[in-house]
Amino acid sequence: MKISRLSRLSGVSIPTIKFYVREQLLPAGIPTARNQAEYDATHLTRLRLIRLLTGAGMMSLASVREVLAAVDSDQLPPPELVRVVNRALLAEHAGPPADREAYDSVAPGVDRMLQRLGWRLGRSGPERERLIQALAALRALGVPCVAEELAPYAEVAEKLAAQSLDRATGSGDAVLLVARIVLFDVAFDIMRRMALQHRLAEVLGEPGDPPQ
């Protein structure tokens, strides 16, 4: 296909496509004439992945480059690919440093919870750090919250992770695995917010609007 059709199908403007090619995020097309090239389905899939990472994933181009390099690596096992994507997502959503006193007060509880769960995570991992910061922020605001309250979240998260990985890794498709990580994260967060809205309506006795 020509670049104009690639642009229509992907929803990415022609100047942006050319920019991605210059930045080596997207392979160049096959030259057919001066200033013309042909593109195929692999270019379309790549553009859709980039849009996913910069859109739903809210990643910078530096993080996108890191994830794409991991996707392109034939030697990278799925667990390492997951770690790369998680690091990229967390890097873009980093918040301000937590209050030190609050941080020190909640960190032991988080470590005890993770140890009971038996999750194979390094103490220096960004996931543990961000979880501690989130609980520390609550503590600093005077909101009583202990790591044990996250037990229901952990149970649901583990079930969803197992289901997602079973389907994605079975196909051997790195793009599919990355897409499921990013989009299921968004979907889970949205459904949690919907459930909260539903429960509040129940508690307050407010009628809800059924889906159209």
Side-chain angles (χ1 to χ4, degrees):
M1 70 186 83
K2 295 187 181 300
I3 194 171
S4 57
R5 177 172 172 76
L6 179 64
S7 176
R8 287 196 302 272
L9 292 177
S10 66
V12 179
S13 69
I14 292 177
T16 301
I17 292 175
K18 292 181 178 179
F19 170 76
Y20 289 155
V21 171
R22 289 196 303 272
E23 291 295 312
Q24 299 183 339
L25 298 175
L26 179 73
I30 300 174
T32 56
R34 185 179 180 185
N35 298 327
Q36 290 189 2
E38 289 286 342
Y39 300 85
D40 58 25
T42 60
H43 293 91
L44 181 58
T45 298
R46 185 76 159 200
L47 282 175
R48 286 172 173 167
L49 178 58
I50 294 173
R51 285 197 69 188
L52 169 64
L53 298 177
T54 58
M58 295 187 290
M59 294 185 191
S60 66
L61 287 184
S63 292
V64 169
R65 189 184 303 279
E66 181 182 1
V67 172
L68 292 179
V71 168
D72 292 338
S73 175
D74 295 333
Q75 305 300 320
L76 201 65
E80 182 57 32
L81 177 58
V82 171
R83 281 191 283 270
V84 170
V85 177
N86 281 344
R87 284 198 300 266
L89 289 170
L90 288 171
E92 303 305 329
H93 304 156
D99 175 85
R100 192 70 227 180
E101 182 178 351
Y103 182 100
D104 291 339
S105 68
V106 302
V110 169
D111 287 335
R112 287 193 299 270
M113 179 193 71
L114 294 176
Q115 185 175 17
R116 283 196 301 272
L117 290 170
W119 287 359
R120 300 179 182 182
L121 303 169
R123 285 181 57 85
S124 60
E127 297 86 357
R128 169 186 174 273
E129 183 71 14
R130 287 298 307 282
L131 180 57
I132 294 174
Q133 288 183 4
L135 296 184
L138 285 173
R139 180 66 60 86
L141 288 170
V143 180
C145 180
V146 294
E148 287 73 13
E149 294 181 45
L150 298 179
Y153 283 82
E155 181 179 356
V156 173
E158 186 156 6
K159 288 181 179 179
L160 290 175
Q163 175 181 308
S164 182
L165 285 178
D166 286 346
R167 294 182 178 179
T169 56
S171 69
D173 189 335
V175 173
L176 176 60
L177 177 56
V178 172
R180 291 184 73 90
I181 293 172
V182 175
L183 291 178
F184 269 65
D185 189 48
V186 173
F188 179 68
D189 190 48
I190 291 173
M191 293 190 71
R192 181 186 59 81
R193 295 173 189 272
M194 292 168 68
L196 179 59
Q197 183 177 339
H198 164 67
R199 293 295 296 168
L200 284 173
E202 279 192 332
V203 170
L204 299 175
E206 297 177 351
D209 296 325
Q212 300 298 317

